[in-house]
Amino acid sequence: MSDIGRNAPCPCGSGRKYKQCCLRRDQLWRRAVADDRDAIRQAIAWLRDRHEDALKTALGDFFGALGSEEQANLAEVNDDVAQMIDINAREWLLAEAMVEVVEASGETWSLKLGDLALGSEGPPLNPEQRSYLESIATNPLCPYEVTGVEREVGIRVRDALIPDQPSIWVRDTSLSRTLERGDLIALRLVNRHGAQVPSGCVYHYPPPLSSEVLEEIRAFRRDSDAGPEGASAGRSVSAILRDRWLLALTRTRRMPQIVDARTKEPILLCEDHFQVLDWPRLERVLEQQSDADGDRKHGWSRIEHDEGKGSRPRWSMRVGPRADTFIGFGRTRRAADDGRAWLEGLAGDAVRFLARDIVDPMSPAALHAPRPANSKDPFKDLPRDERMAAFQQIHEHVYRNWADEPIPALGDMTPRQAVRTPEGRERVARLLKDYEVGEARRARGENRGPTDFGFLWASVGLEPDASLVESRT
């Protein structure tokens, strides 16, 4: 954790100065983290030395949901992911793994692998280390939604399955560097010196996996005879969280594709960049078109009329970042092709085509990855506020008819249809949060503010989640 000024407001939200609130506790916690990691190391080393077969069997159970091909794919992950798998597996072995003990009489019984390490013949742990190992065995792995991020300090989370519960402040530097509001993660929270801190394991579920995981857990809770509480239900939920995380690491995932409600074509971000060689001529021909509406200051829209369904912009045009450039925007490839042909047919040599950028707005690359430094960004020279406004305009155009477009993640229903039921409203809300998470991560990487998706919440009559609409740190 990076240093916080002693007289700065405490990040826990108490309203007191840091030195009067959490400073001493954080100092104790930082020392405890190293002690906790050593407890895991000692316990695993002791089990490997004394109960190697049981340890190997239990480790196989951790990866039990993976087939041979998937396990081979898992072996190819990068070093950071491999380290996270190792951390999560070690903690699971001590917190949840069950082993069978066979008595001389032939009778068998089960116990936690971690209880062997905590027994009288276990490794020489100090009282704090024993307390830590006991706490990870009694605190379940739970899904949490990130509701606040204080960079380099910590995060605020709430139970993703009980969203009306109060949020919890979690001290952790590394999580605060990578997560965004709306992210879904699974943690095992333990109390260390009065602070809620992650035990060590972290399971992150990017969109659309986040929605799938929550739906699977809710389905299990509805159908389970064991009820939503209790050790058995807790182990089953933990297994879902663990297995879906591991499986996701072995597969290439894509966001569900959305299509244009009228043409059924895939929705894409298609931007055609033109150089304007004769502005007066271009403005004159556009003013003469009955299907073109707008002006140079606000941009133009080419209007499409559909009998019985009204009219809507089919292709839009606006002045580029330089006064001698012009950008045409279409929500599908065909719309962009038709718009370019229409403009060039009208304007002739008053414009010159330069280049086209195409991005699938639902691809992981578009949702999560910042634009590479050497790629074309038509807004890179604009001031920050103007860049934000440009991206806002693009997203509002792309998602203009989103509420009435069938989406696979909603069972091929439109968002407007889905929100008619409580379950559907929950799925739509989670989908919108997934959009916001991806946009926030991309915007942070591109050093701009994120697009405000409030217009999408409003389009289906939902209120934006109040805990996710604060300004991002």
Side-chain angles (χ1 to χ4, degrees):
M1 180 183 299
S2 63
D3 289 335
I4 306 169
R6 293 172 58 85
N7 292 313
C10 189
C12 75
S14 66
R16 293 183 291 171
K17 293 182 178 180
Y18 182 50
K19 67 182 180 182
Q20 298 168 337
C21 189
C22 293
L23 173 59
R24 175 59 178 164
R25 189 166 57 186
D26 284 354
Q27 291 171 338
L28 293 172
W29 174 72
R30 282 194 287 266
R31 290 196 291 268
V33 168
D35 210 31
D36 295 343
R37 291 172 180 169
D38 188 57
I40 294 280
R41 182 193 61 76
Q42 286 191 62
I44 293 295
W46 183 86
L47 287 168
R48 185 177 291 114
D49 182 56
R50 303 292 184 89
H51 301 277
E52 184 177 10
D53 290 343
L55 185 65
K56 287 182 178 179
T57 299
L59 190 59
D61 292 340
F62 180 80
F63 296 100
L66 305 183
S68 57
E69 183 177 347
E70 290 163 332
Q71 292 198 36
N73 290 341
L74 204 62
E76 301 298 321
V77 299
N78 63 47
D79 291 344
D80 289 339
V81 175
Q83 183 181 28
M84 195 70 255
I85 293 172
D86 183 64
I87 291 171
N88 291 357
R90 284 169 172 260
E91 182 171 313
W92 179 85
L93 288 170
L94 297 172
E96 298 185 51
M98 304 295 294
V99 294
E100 284 194 350
V101 176
V102 182
E103 298 285 3
S105 62
E107 182 182 359
T108 63
W109 49 284
S110 298
L111 82 163
K112 282 186 175 180
L113 185 64
D115 287 345
L116 293 173
L118 288 169
S120 59
E121 297 180 359
L125 303 170
N126 64 43
E128 286 292 322
Q129 290 176 323
R130 291 186 64 84
S131 173
Y132 168 72
L133 293 182
E134 289 168 354
S135 67
I136 66 172
T138 55
N139 287 283
L141 184 68
C142 294
Y144 292 98
E145 182 177 13
V146 178
T147 61
V149 179
E150 183 78 18
R151 300 294 177 201
E152 301 294 334
V153 181
I155 61 175
R156 191 169 291 278
V157 300
R158 68 180 175 191
D159 192 317
L161 300 172
I162 316 176
D164 57 349
Q165 291 291 308
S167 61
I168 303 169
W169 173 254
V170 178
R171 283 159 160 59
D172 191 278
T173 305
S174 60
L175 293 180
S176 73
R177 292 172 181 160
T178 58
L179 295 177
E180 300 290 346
R181 286 183 176 87
D183 263 324
L184 182 71
I185 57 176
L187 301 173
R188 197 187 314 275
L189 296 181
V190 297
N191 191 297
R192 303 296 280 160
H193 301 289
Q196 289 289 332
V197 299
S199 57
C201 70
V202 180
Y203 299 78
H204 178 220
Y205 308 93
L209 183 61
S210 53
S211 299
E212 297 170 8
V213 167
L214 291 178
E215 288 197 14
E216 186 171 343
I217 294 174
R218 291 189 182 103
F220 162 77
R221 287 187 162 189
R222 286 194 304 268
D223 302 337
S224 173
D225 294 334
E229 306 297 337
S232 176
R235 285 195 297 272
S236 297
V237 169
S238 177
I240 293 171
L241 293 169
R242 180 181 73 249
D243 293 345
R244 294 304 298 268
W245 180 73
L246 286 170
L247 286 167
L249 295 179
T250 71
R251 299 170 182 168
T252 300
R253 305 184 59 87
R254 279 183 60 84
M255 287 289 293
Q257 187 177 67
I258 57 174
V259 299
D260 184 276
R262 296 186 185 180
T263 67
K264 307 305 180 185
E265 299 170 83
I267 289 180
L268 300 172
L269 294 170
C270 297
E271 288 189 342
D272 287 335
H273 299 264
F274 298 87
Q275 181 181 11
V276 181
L277 304 175
D278 189 339
W279 264 114
R281 179 180 172 188
L282 177 61
E283 290 181 275
R284 186 169 58 253
V285 297
L286 288 175
E287 288 171 359
Q288 295 170 353
Q289 306 308 308
S290 61
D291 58 347
D293 182 36
D295 54 39
R296 181 172 175 179
K297 179 179 179 181
H298 300 97
W300 288 267
S301 291
R302 186 188 181 198
I303 306 301
E304 174 187 50
H305 299 281
D306 193 340
E307 186 176 350
K309 295 184 179 180
S311 60
R312 66 170 182 172
R314 176 66 169 165
W315 195 61
S316 64
M317 299 156 278
R318 67 181 186 277
V319 178
R322 298 199 320 266
D324 66 338
T325 59
F326 188 78
I327 298 174
F329 178 82
R331 57 189 278 113
T332 68
R333 191 188 299 270
R334 179 181 296 179
D337 289 342
D338 291 348
R340 175 185 170 185
W342 174 80
L343 179 68
E344 291 178 331
L346 292 174
D349 58 7
V351 298
R352 181 168 67 90
F353 178 75
L354 298 175
R356 170 175 289 182
D357 288 337
I358 300 179
V359 177
D360 179 355
M362 302 303 293
S363 68
L367 286 169
H368 304 302
R371 189 187 300 268
N374 60 352
S375 69
K376 177 180 285 188
D377 179 354
F379 311 119
K380 67 179 181 180
D381 296 326
L382 294 179
R384 180 182 173 87
D385 288 349
E386 292 184 31
R387 292 186 77 219
M388 287 176 60
F391 278 96
Q392 185 75 35
Q393 180 182 353
I394 289 174
H395 280 90
E396 289 189 13
H397 186 93
V398 170
Y399 291 103
R400 184 180 301 239
N401 297 299
W402 172 84
D404 298 305
E405 292 164 343
I407 298 178
L410 301 176
D412 287 326
M413 287 191 293
T414 70
R416 205 182 302 279
Q417 292 170 334
V419 296
R420 294 171 184 169
T421 66
E423 183 181 82
R425 284 196 293 274
E426 191 172 84
R427 294 172 70 187
V428 172
R430 183 67 248 176
L431 185 64
L432 287 171
K433 291 175 187 177
D434 288 345
Y435 293 174
E436 291 176 329
V437 169
E439 167 62 6
R441 185 165 284 115
R442 179 176 170 88
R444 184 156 65 97
E446 295 180 344
N447 191 32
R448 62 174 174 84
T451 297
D452 180 359
F453 281 106
F455 69 98
L456 286 185
W457 291 86
S459 71
V460 288
L462 294 179
E463 288 292 329
D465 191 322
S467 66
L468 303 179
V469 296
E470 308 161 13
S471 59
R472 289 173 170 81
T473 303

